[in-house]
Structures are given as C-alpha cells and as structure tokens.
Amino acid sequence: MNIVNVDYDGLIPNNVGLNADTRVKAALEKWHPGYVNWWHDMGPEGFQQSLVYLRTAVSVDPKGWAKFDYVKMPDYKWGILLAPEVEDRRIPFGAHRGEKAWQEVPGEYRAMLRRLIVIQGDTEPASVEQQRYLGKTAPSLYDLRNLFQVNVEEGRHLWAMVYLLQKYFGAEGREEAEELLQRRSGDADTPRMLGAFNEETPDWLSFFMFTFFTDRDGKMQLEALAQSGFDPLSRTTRFMLTEEAHHMFVGETGVGRVIERTSAEMKKAGITDPSDIDAVRRLGVIDLPTIQRKLNLHFSLTLDLFGNEISTNAANAFHAGIKGRFREDKLDDDHRLENGTYPVLRLVGGKIVKEETPALSALNMRLRDDYVAECAAGVGRWNKIIEKHGIAFELKLPHVAFHRQIGEFSKIKADLDGNVLLDAEWEKKKGAYLPSSADRAFIESLMKPEFRPGKFASWIASPKTGIDNKPGDFEYVKIAE
Ligand SMILES: [Fe+2]
Ligand SMILES: [Fe+2]
C-alpha cells in the first residue's frame, strides 16, 4: 500500500489500508450513516445542496496534498489520513523516552489515552455546531467558502479521532464514537465537554476571533499530541495540523480585514478619535474598542481550555509518554522533567505572584505560555494595520487572570491588566471589558449577506489574494435555490 497516496475507491478514503482491516472497516461503515445524519442536522444550515469550491485531502505529501473542486458538502470525502510513518520512531519524552514508539495502546495507559482522544474528538463537531447558522449572513462568497472549508475539515478531524477509537479501543471505543454524535454544543442536558465549545458564535467577528484564538488552542493540543509515544495518535494529529493552519489563516486574516476596513474608513472620514464610537459606527464598520472587547472575550474563554495551571493529569500524561510539550523534539533538556521547575502565575493571599513550580505539574501552564506568545505575535500584526492608517489605537491581549472560569484565577475578578477587583468594581467595569448587548446588537445589524461574486459587506475589506489563486470575482459557492 502506498502511504502517501490515498485510496479513494471505497466509501471512506484512507491511507491506512482499511480494505484489509475488515473489523474496523465494518465499524466505520456502521458509524457513517449516523455521521451523515449529524451533518444534515447540525452542519451548515441552508447550504447542503450548494456547490462549494473546497479542498479535499488526496495525499499526505506535504508538497501537494489537496485538490480543489466544487462539491456539495454532504458528498465531501471525509477520509482517514495519517502522516507517513517515521522509520524507527522513538518515544521522545517521559519515563519511556528512547523506547520504540508504541503501535498498539499500552494497557496501563489505555484509559488516559482514550480520554485524551475523546476530548479532542468532542471539540471537532462542536465547532461545526456552533457555526451552523453563520452561512446566512456571510459577508462574501469567499468568506462563505472559508467557513465551509473549516467546517468540513472539523468533520474530518472527528473522523480521525473516531478511527483511533474504533481501531484501538474495541467496544468502549465504538461507544465513545457513538456518543461523539450524541452530544450537542450548548445543550442543557448533553453539552459538549469543554466550556468554550458550548458558547455561541453569533456573528462573523466571533467566527474570526474563534478561528484565531480557539482553533489555535486546538493547534497547541494537536502539537502536544503529535509528540505522543502512541504512534498512530502522533501520525493522525500531524496530518490534522496541516489542515489546521488554514483555520488560523481564516481567523487572522478575517480579523485583520475587519480592522483594515475600519481603519481605512476612519481615515477617509477624518475620524482620529477611536473612542468616538457613534461616529465610527455611522460609517458601517466595527469600531476598534468593540473589536478589543470581542478579543477579550474569546481570549479569556480559550485560556480556560488549557485547564488548571497545576495539573497532575498533565504530569501523568507527560510522564507516560502520551502527551508532550509544544515542539518537544526541538527542546533542549532531559525531556523527563523530573527535577526541573517552571514559573507559574498563582494566586497567593489574594495576590497574583510568579512561583517556581515542579516542571512536570506545570505542563498546562507551559503550553498556555507558548499559546499566548503566538497570540501576541498575531495581535502585533493586527496593530501594524491600524498603525499603517495612522490611527492611535493599540489592541492588547488581556492579562491571563482576566475573566477566567477555570484554574488559579477563577476565584477572583481581575481587570485587563491583572489588578484584582472587588465584585462590586467588576460589576461596574465589566461593560468596558466585554461585549455589551448594545455591541452585539450593533454587530448583528451589520450581518447582512453579500452573495454577489467579488463583493464584500461594508464592514470587511477584501482579501489580498483568492483561494487556490482564483480571481477576485470567482464564484466560490454556487448557492442552490
Ligand atoms: Fe480540528
Ligand atoms: Fe480547526
């Protein structure tokens, strides 16, 4: 079997030799109708019959792994694709460092591995559910297509995790695979597993913030799992990361184009004071302070996904060789962390202080720090756009203690700079920190669909280049009546 090229003949495209693996093939084929039902019920509403110019993975060759073509989303080829096997791969960290990577689940780590795969798997369909109504208000066909691309790939990521569950976890795995189709984002009785995936994505600025901030958490988790000593998990997540890069591109350029449009219109109208919100909104664009409040919300919700700063689960997963650090293979230390320390921001006597903590227990914190650094770089690029138009405004990431529900700072209220506030002060000030209902209503008032090829809604600039080098007026989605 050719690992680089994908077998497209059967119901499920794959490069894992599914035809020869009758047990897993049967399990996946049994799961397939439920998945398609889920897609019809919870996938993009109103566009199932439209032809969408999508990329589909046809290979795992980094030089050319995708092809672009028009496809109806329910007919998308959701496949199972693993990155090529690394010859003689060794477990890169933890107590088993240097041993041969596992091709089967080690019995002692079975429960831990299953849990990690299920949590990752649960986020994939969740975001599709969160975004299912956005198509109706897309600011352009280009953006509509990007939304759907992200959606079908999140669907494929669910397939990726379900394959691991069904191949390696027997009856329990099949049960988990079923449950992944049963939970629903935001449902009171059967919610998705993680908080940020039960929030609404009510408008396109939220969507772009979500793909910038929350998909980037996904990327960090996948990076940590790509280091795993359990080789099938490593290979699966490595390929998912190639797709994930586009999701973050959608987020960063999406927010960037909103900022570009606002800044350009302000300049044209001669508005120099970014806090003159009414004047800016009259131009039909989103004012910068509101963009900042949206950023504050999505950043803080996403930080919660990293879990507790001090975590025995994270320590155990690392020690076991199951979940590594961001770019573990590029780090220069003993990769066991039994003696080292790592600085962690903690709440001590009501104050936020930095404390040296055993490195093994601080792995969530460390991954979060790597994440925050990437976010900060992106925000820096957004600020360049504002600066280019000569407007005196700077977007900032809030302090990590701001608006937290999980971890050290969930017990306190903090402002954007990390000053601890009394509850009464918080109540008074939070309207300045987080989107208000008036902000939401204003953004909603702008969410009118623009479905003419090459046209864009008033509040967002056009992209610099098309997808797959297509010209500006390309019809990315042929909307079915
Ligand atoms: Fe994903
Ligand atoms: Fe994603």
Side-chain angles (χ1 to χ4, degrees):
M1 185 197 49
N2 184 339
I3 190 71
V4 171
N5 290 308
V6 176
D7 167 12
Y8 255 94
D9 298 340
L11 179 63
I12 304 158
N14 71 91
N15 70 346
V16 295
L18 207 55
N19 271 335
D21 196 345
T22 46
R23 183 186 63 81
V24 177
K25 188 167 178 244
L28 281 167
E29 285 177 353
K30 199 162 164 231
W31 186 79
H32 182 260
Y35 172 82
V36 172
N37 285 341
W38 168 80
W39 181 269
H40 276 288
D41 289 351
M42 298 309 291
E45 179 153 305
F47 295 90
Q48 303 282 355
Q49 291 309 310
S50 298
L51 286 167
V52 187
Y53 193 69
L54 293 173
R55 80 175 174 189
T56 304
V58 290
S59 150
V60 291
D61 183 344
K63 287 193 248 22
W65 58 274
K67 78 171 174 45
F68 287 82
D69 208 349
Y70 283 108
V71 42
K72 288 183 187 168
M73 282 184 281
D75 301 335
Y76 189 77
K77 288 275 197 176
W78 283 286
I80 294 160
L81 302 157
L82 270 58
E85 200 168 345
V86 175
E87 210 183 314
D88 194 36
R89 181 166 178 263
R90 302 280 154 166
I91 299 166
F93 58 90
H96 301 282
R97 176 162 200 251
E99 294 172 24
K100 250 179 145 22
W102 299 299
Q103 299 304 327
E104 294 295 331
V105 177
E108 55 193 312
Y109 304 137
R110 194 178 171 84
M112 185 196 285
L113 255 173
R114 195 184 80 201
R115 173 115 190 117
L116 284 172
I117 292 168
V118 168
I119 292 175
Q120 180 63 43
D122 193 66
T123 66
E124 313 289 358
S127 65
V128 177
E129 292 166 2
Q130 289 169 295
Q131 296 161 11
R132 64 186 292 239
Y133 299 115
L134 288 174
K136 294 178 173 166
T137 57
S140 71
L141 292 182
Y142 167 89
D143 291 292
L144 186 63
R145 178 260 166 218
N146 282 349
L147 166 71
F148 294 158
Q149 183 71 59
V150 170
N151 290 161
V152 293
E153 284 174 350
E154 300 305 4
R156 204 200 67 73
H157 293 173
L158 172 61
W159 274 88
M161 294 297 112
V162 162
Y163 168 72
L164 293 179
L165 289 169
Q166 294 190 332
K167 174 143 177 93
Y168 297 100
F169 294 89
E172 291 166 334
R174 288 194 293 278
E175 220 167 276
E176 296 279 17
E178 245 353 278
E179 282 168 26
L180 284 166
L181 295 176
Q182 305 306 325
R183 287 186 287 272
R184 291 286 181 272
S185 175
D187 191 279
D189 302 320
T190 54
R192 292 292 171 185
M193 297 170 88
L194 302 173
F197 290 91
N198 288 303
E199 298 284 333
E200 281 181 20
T201 311
D203 59 70
W204 277 78
L205 182 54
S206 295
F207 170 66
F208 293 135
M209 289 288 180
F210 185 97
T211 39
F212 181 84
F213 286 110
T214 311
D215 279 70
R216 191 179 307 280
D217 159 71
K219 169 192 156 170
M220 300 307 287
Q221 303 300 335
L222 292 175
E223 289 272 8
L225 295 174
Q227 302 288 337
S228 183
F230 179 49
D231 206 42
L233 178 60
S234 165
R235 292 173 55 199
T236 305
T237 46
R238 266 191 287 141
F239 186 68
M240 289 162 76
L241 281 164
T242 56
E243 294 167 311
E244 207 58 59
H246 176 67
H247 306 184
M248 273 161 293
F249 163 85
V250 168
E252 179 167 338
T253 56
V255 176
R257 287 161 52 216
V258 177
I259 294 169
E260 166 71 35
R261 186 70 184 176
T262 300
S263 306
E265 289 299 304
M266 284 174 69
K267 195 175 173 190
K268 223 194 307 173
I271 300 171
T272 50
D273 178 8
S275 65
D276 191 351
I277 285 174
D278 291 337
V280 175
R281 289 185 177 182
R282 274 196 296 272
L283 303 172
V285 295
I286 305 173
D287 52 284
L288 297 170
T290 295
I291 294 173
Q292 175 71 62
R293 284 193 285 276
K294 281 278 203 185
L295 182 162
N296 296 342
L297 176 66
H298 285 270
F299 180 67
S300 58
L301 287 173
T302 305
L303 289 183
D304 283 338
L305 294 172
F306 289 85
N308 286 312
E309 287 84 347
I310 306 293
S311 162
T312 346
N313 280 345
N316 290 341
F318 184 88
H319 187 72
I322 298 296
K323 185 178 175 186
R325 289 171 290 177
F326 182 52
R327 302 197 175 138
E328 183 74 43
D329 45 1
K330 307 269 177 339
L331 297 173
D332 187 20
D333 59 22
D334 73 351
H335 300 277
R336 289 177 192 267
L337 304 181
E338 279 149 11
N339 306 309
T341 63
Y342 188 83
V344 175
L345 281 184
R346 306 204 64 180
L347 193 64
V348 181
K351 285 205 174 68
I352 298 170
V353 292
K354 202 170 255 187
E355 246 182 33
E356 286 298 325
T357 312
L360 259 185
S361 334
L363 284 159
N364 284 346
M365 180 73 197
R366 183 173 184 138
L367 194 62
R368 204 184 75 194
D369 283 345
D370 290 326
Y371 167 81
V372 172
E374 272 206 17
C375 290
V379 172
R381 291 188 289 273
W382 290 338
N383 281 328
K384 287 262 183 310
I385 301 171
I386 305 174
E387 206 184 299
K388 184 186 79 187
H389 290 281
I391 291 162
F393 189 89
E394 200 183 329
L395 292 164
K396 286 195 193 87
L397 289 178
H399 192 277
V400 293
F402 170 77
H403 189 235
R404 299 296 308 281
Q405 333 287 327
I406 286 177
E408 287 290 310
F409 308 118
S410 58
K411 303 170 213 83
I412 55 155
K413 300 277 188 285
D415 70 8
L416 298 174
D417 299 314
N419 301 305
V420 180
L421 301 178
L422 297 170
D423 281 5
E425 283 177 288
W426 166 259
E427 286 305 321
K428 237 187 283 163
K429 290 180 173 170
K430 73 174 181 197
Y433 302 152
L434 293 166
S436 65
S437 46
D439 293 338
R440 279 193 285 267
F442 170 69
I443 293 173
E444 208 174 295
S445 75
L446 294 179
M447 297 295 125
K448 303 264 161 47
E450 177 52 90
F451 290 156
R452 289 170 297 174
K455 300 275 189 237
F456 290 82
S458 69
W459 52 272
I460 190 165
S462 58
K464 286 200 180 76
T465 50
I467 294 294
D468 193 31
N469 290 318
K470 290 297 175 206
D473 60 353
F474 185 70
E475 193 176 6
Y476 289 100
V477 182
K478 296 183 179 174
I479 295 173
E481 294 307 317

